[in-house]
Amino acid sequence: MRAADAEAIRRGADAEDLMESAAEALCRDLRAALPGARRVAVVCGPGKNGGDGLAAARILALGGASPELFSLRDPALFTGEASANAARARGVGLAIRELSGAGGHAALRRALSDADVVVDALFGTGLSRALEGAARRAVSAINGSGRRVIAADLPSGLSADRGEILGMAVRAWRTVAFAAPKLCHVLPPASGLCGCVAIADIGIARKILARHARRLWQTEPADVAARLPARPLDSHKGDFGRLAILAGSRGKPGAAILAARGALRAGAGLVTVFCAESIASGIVSALPEAMTEALPEERGALGRSAAEGLGRSWKDFDAVVAGPGLGTSSSTVAALEAALRARVPLVADADALNAFAGRPGFFAKRRAATVLTPHPGEAGRLLRTSSRAVQADRRGAVLKLARASRAVVVLKGAHSLIGTPDGEIVVNPTGTPLLATAGSGDVLSGVIGALLAGGLTARDAAMTGAWLHGAAAQSLEVVLGDAGLLAHEVADAIPGVRLALRREAAREAAGAPDV
C-alpha cells in the first residue's frame, strides 16, 4: 500500500487530495454506521494517519458534529499534509489538545466518557513496534471507555505487514481501510481487533494497486456463488459428480460417515464409501444415502490387499477423498501408497496425510489434481517441524507445503489459508470457534471432494469448500453460541448457505437495492 501510494503521487496524484479523500471516506462510514452520533472524540498520531484524523475532525465539524480533537504531538511540530490539516482544523474553530501536555490525558478521558463514538487515527501502516508512553496510555483509555471505535485504515497497535498485534492495540468496532485491505485486516490474531472492515476508494488507480499487490486474496460471497455449479431442471444425479471416499476403520466409522454426509449436503450426486468390511453395514445404517464398498482388512483397518483393484474401481469416479479415520497401520499405509497413485482428483485429509509424514513429495508425483487439508499438527509432520512452527509462520508454511507437494493446500485454523504451488494464497474469512469440535474436518474434506467431483479446479474447490464450511457453522451461532456444535450439523447447514447465496445473486441480478 505504501508503494502504491508513492507511485500514485509520482504519477500526479496530490498527497493532500488523497488524505482528504481518506478523511471523507472515514466520515461517510461514521455517519452511515451511527447517523445520530454528534459527540466524536478524534485521537491523532504524529504521522499521515494523524493527518487523516485532523481532516476528518474538520469535515465532521462542518457537517454539524461536535468533535474533540487530541494529538500525541505538539501541533506546531506537524509537517506536510498533517500540518496543513491541523491549520484547517483550527480554522473552523477546533482546538487541538496535546496529550503529552499538562492535563491532556485527563481531558481525553472526560471526552471519551461523553463521546458517542471515537475515531482512532493514532498510527497506520508505518508502525513497527509496540506502543509506549503517551500512545500506550491513549489506547488504554480508548479501550477502557467502552465507546465504539472507528479506526482510520487500521486499529493502532497492529502490524499492517503481518497478522500480528505488536503490544497494546485499539479494539475497533469498525475499520475503514483506505484503498485496499492490509494483511492485518484478514489474518488473525490482528484481524480480531478490526471489527467490521470497509474498503474505501480514495482515488488511487486500480492498475496501480494491482501492480503492487501481493499474491494474496480473500474469498467473498460473490466468488463462491460464481463457482457453484448450475443445477438445471433436467439434471440427474450423474451430472453432479461421483465421489469415492476411502475412510474409516474399526472404532472410527464416524469419520467416513461425516465425510460422506458433508459431500452429499454439498451437492455430490453419488457418494460411495470404500471402507474396512467390518464397518460397512454400520455406515449404511447411519447414512443410507451413501453406498459402500467393503475392502479386505487387517485388525479392523485396511489390509495390504485392499489396494488391489482400487485404482481400477476409481476410474468410474470423478474424485476421491482419502484419509478420515483410516489409521496409519503398516497395512493401511501400504494400501494408501498404491491406491493414491490412481489418476483421479484427490482430497487427502487426516491419516492420508499422517501416512506420508516427512514425505510431501509423494503427492508431487501424482498425475491428477490434489488438495491437502492439514491442520497445523499434520502440516508440521509433513514438513518435519512442529505445529508451533507452522502457526508462527502460517503463510510461509502453507506455501512451502504447497510447493513441496505440488498440491493445493488448505491449512486449517482461524481464517484458513489456501496455498497453491505457484505461490498464491487465498484467505478464508468464514468460521467460528464452534468448528473446534471432533469431526468438523471430516465434513470439510467431503465438501471439498464434492466440489472437486462436480468439476471445479483444485484451487476453486478448496476455496469454495472452505468458505461454505465456515459459513455453515456461522449460521448456527444464533442458536448455539460458541460451543456445543455437532459436526453433522455443519454438513446439514450447507444447503441453507447455498440457498442464501443463490437468492442474493438473484436479487443482485434483478437490480434490487442493498439492504
Side-chain angles (χ1 to χ4, degrees):
M1 190 62 243
R2 289 189 290 269
D5 187 67
E7 181 180 343
I9 292 170
R10 284 198 308 272
R11 291 181 176 275
D14 184 84
E16 288 191 22
D17 288 345
L18 292 176
M19 185 172 285
E20 189 75 4
S21 295
E24 288 172 351
L26 186 64
C27 294
R28 279 196 304 273
D29 188 88
L30 187 154
R31 292 177 185 131
L34 295 170
R38 293 291 178 268
R39 294 169 298 181
V40 186
V42 182
V43 190
C44 300
K48 289 186 176 181
N49 198 248
D52 297 331
L54 291 164
R58 168 177 48 81
I59 293 168
L60 290 169
L62 292 173
S66 301
E68 289 199 56
L69 195 48
F70 296 86
S71 172
L72 285 179
R73 171 175 286 183
D74 180 347
L77 299 179
F78 280 122
T79 60
E81 302 86 49
S83 176
N85 276 302
R88 290 175 186 142
R90 285 191 292 265
V92 298
L94 292 176
I96 305 173
R97 189 72 181 259
E98 184 186 351
L99 288 174
S100 57
H105 278 280
L108 174 61
R109 287 192 294 271
R110 288 193 298 272
L112 291 171
S113 67
D114 292 335
D116 298 316
V117 63
V118 181
V119 171
D120 164 32
L122 283 166
F123 293 96
T125 59
L127 191 67
S128 59
R129 57 188 176 85
L131 300 179
E132 300 174 342
R136 180 183 172 87
R137 290 196 299 275
V139 170
S140 178
I142 291 170
N143 287 343
S145 70
R147 297 295 184 261
R148 287 174 170 171
V149 179
I150 297 180
D153 208 17
L154 63 151
S156 298
L158 304 186
S159 166
D161 302 318
R162 302 181 300 279
E164 295 180 6
I165 302 170
L166 296 174
M168 182 172 286
V170 168
R171 293 190 297 270
W173 174 61
R174 295 182 64 82
T175 296
V176 180
F178 301 142
K182 287 75 180 173
L183 294 183
C184 62
H185 296 135
V186 297
L187 297 179
S191 59
L193 296 184
C194 293
C196 179
V197 179
I199 312 302
D201 180 1
I202 63 170
I204 297 177
R206 292 188 66 84
K207 63 182 180 181
I208 294 177
L209 292 171
R211 196 156 36 242
H212 295 284
R214 297 169 184 254
R215 301 197 68 196
L216 185 78
W217 311 94
Q218 179 171 257
T219 312
E220 296 182 341
D223 302 319
V224 176
R227 286 164 174 78
L228 292 178
R231 301 178 79 91
L233 286 174
D234 61 348
S235 15
H236 59 84
K237 58 190 176 185
D239 294 332
F240 302 119
R242 293 173 169 84
L243 180 67
I245 296 179
L246 181 63
S249 57
R250 191 181 301 161
K252 297 179 182 178
I257 295 165
L258 289 168
R261 191 166 184 146
L264 288 165
R265 289 299 196 183
L270 291 160
V271 175
T272 301
V273 178
F274 290 73
C275 60
E277 55 190 351
S278 63
I279 66 171
S281 60
I283 291 173
V284 172
S285 297
L287 192 64
E289 297 87 353
M291 295 172 285
T292 58
E293 187 73 32
L295 299 174
E297 65 179 73
E298 296 178 23
R299 298 177 182 174
L302 292 185
R304 292 176 188 274
S305 61
E308 297 174 10
L310 262 184
R312 291 190 298 276
S313 298
W314 286 346
K315 68 180 174 53
D316 295 324
F317 289 89
D318 300 300
V320 173
V321 172
L326 275 180
T328 55
S329 67
S330 59
S331 61
T332 298
V333 173
L336 276 171
E337 286 182 335
L340 298 193
R341 291 191 175 95
R343 294 189 182 185
V344 60
L346 169 73
V347 179
D349 183 40
D351 289 329
L353 302 174
N354 293 326
F356 302 102
R359 294 191 291 154
F362 172 85
F363 297 101
K365 299 173 185 176
R366 297 195 75 250
R367 294 233 178 136
T370 306
V371 179
L372 312 184
T373 59
H375 58 54
E378 292 159 348
R381 286 189 281 276
L382 282 165
L383 293 171
R384 295 185 183 273
T385 187
S386 66
S387 60
R388 184 188 295 271
V390 168
Q391 289 293 78
D393 183 12
R394 285 174 58 82
R395 283 184 294 138
V398 75
L399 289 181
K400 184 176 181 181
L401 184 52
R403 287 167 178 149
S405 63
R406 301 301 302 165
V408 172
V409 176
V410 181
L411 180 57
K412 295 183 287 196
H415 292 213
S416 295
L417 301 181
I418 296 99
T420 68
D422 61 357
E424 184 179 57
I425 295 177
V426 181
V427 181
N428 178 56
T430 63
T432 161
L434 281 171
L435 287 170
T437 189
S440 64
D442 303 325
V443 173
L444 175 62
S445 67
V447 173
I448 295 174
L451 296 167
L452 198 59
L456 295 191
T457 65
R459 173 191 180 274
D460 285 356
M463 178 187 78
T464 303
W467 193 95
L468 287 172
H469 182 257
Q474 284 178 321
S475 73
L476 298 170
E477 285 182 315
V478 177
V479 292
L480 295 178
D482 62 359
L485 177 74
L486 301 180
H488 77 268
E489 294 172 324
V490 181
D492 294 345
I494 286 171
V497 173
R498 288 179 61 118
L499 177 62
L501 280 172
R502 292 201 181 282
R503 284 177 171 169
E504 176 64 16
R507 188 190 66 78
E508 290 186 357
D514 289 336
V515 177

